[in-house]
Amino acid sequence: MIQIAVKNKRRFTCEFRNSDGELADPTDVTVRVTDEAGTETEYEYGTDDEVERASEGVYFTDVTFDTVGDWQIKFWGEGDIVASHEEFLIKVVE
């Protein structure tokens, strides 16, 4: 679990690879942010500015943690890729 102080921003990155192990772009990339209250917000690459593409197969989102508690960030992709998801668990503290 990653520990972060409240009111801080952090970048989370996910790599997607094809069956040859090379970085590859999925057809769709979605990021779900779940805050300490259990409220889920989903963002999609190409639709929402919160998900950006750094390079082929590499996507990121920046999250500001405004409340104390346990948060979750989950990336997933669909299409011709092998690594289809990555999940981060975050404890936000004072």
Side-chain angles (χ1 to χ4, degrees):
M1 182 175 281
I2 300 166
Q3 188 167 313
I4 297 175
V6 70
K7 305 294 183 200
N8 280 309
K9 179 191 268 188
R10 173 126 183 213
R11 176 164 291 176
F12 295 88
T13 303
C14 182
E15 294 183 352
F16 297 96
R17 298 183 180 273
N18 62 21
S19 59
D20 294 329
E22 300 167 342
L23 290 170
D25 288 324
T27 305
D28 298 307
V29 175
T30 304
V31 176
R32 179 186 298 144
V33 178
T34 306
D35 68 15
E36 87 300 334
T39 303
E40 297 179 346
T41 307
E42 286 189 3
Y43 304 106
E44 292 195 30
Y45 175 71
T47 302
D48 300 302
D49 293 338
E50 288 81 1
V51 184
E52 297 186 48
R53 181 180 180 267
S55 60
E56 184 171 2
V58 180
Y59 294 80
F60 68 90
T61 190
D62 294 327
V63 178
T64 300
F65 297 94
D66 54 2
T67 54
V68 172
D70 294 337
W71 290 58
Q72 180 183 51
I73 313 296
K74 183 176 181 180
F75 287 80
W76 71 91
E78 296 178 1
D80 187 26
I81 54 171
V82 173
S84 61
H85 74 279
E86 185 155 357
E87 190 171 341
F88 301 92
L89 301 175
I90 302 99
K91 178 170 268 322
V92 181
V93 296
E94 288 288 332

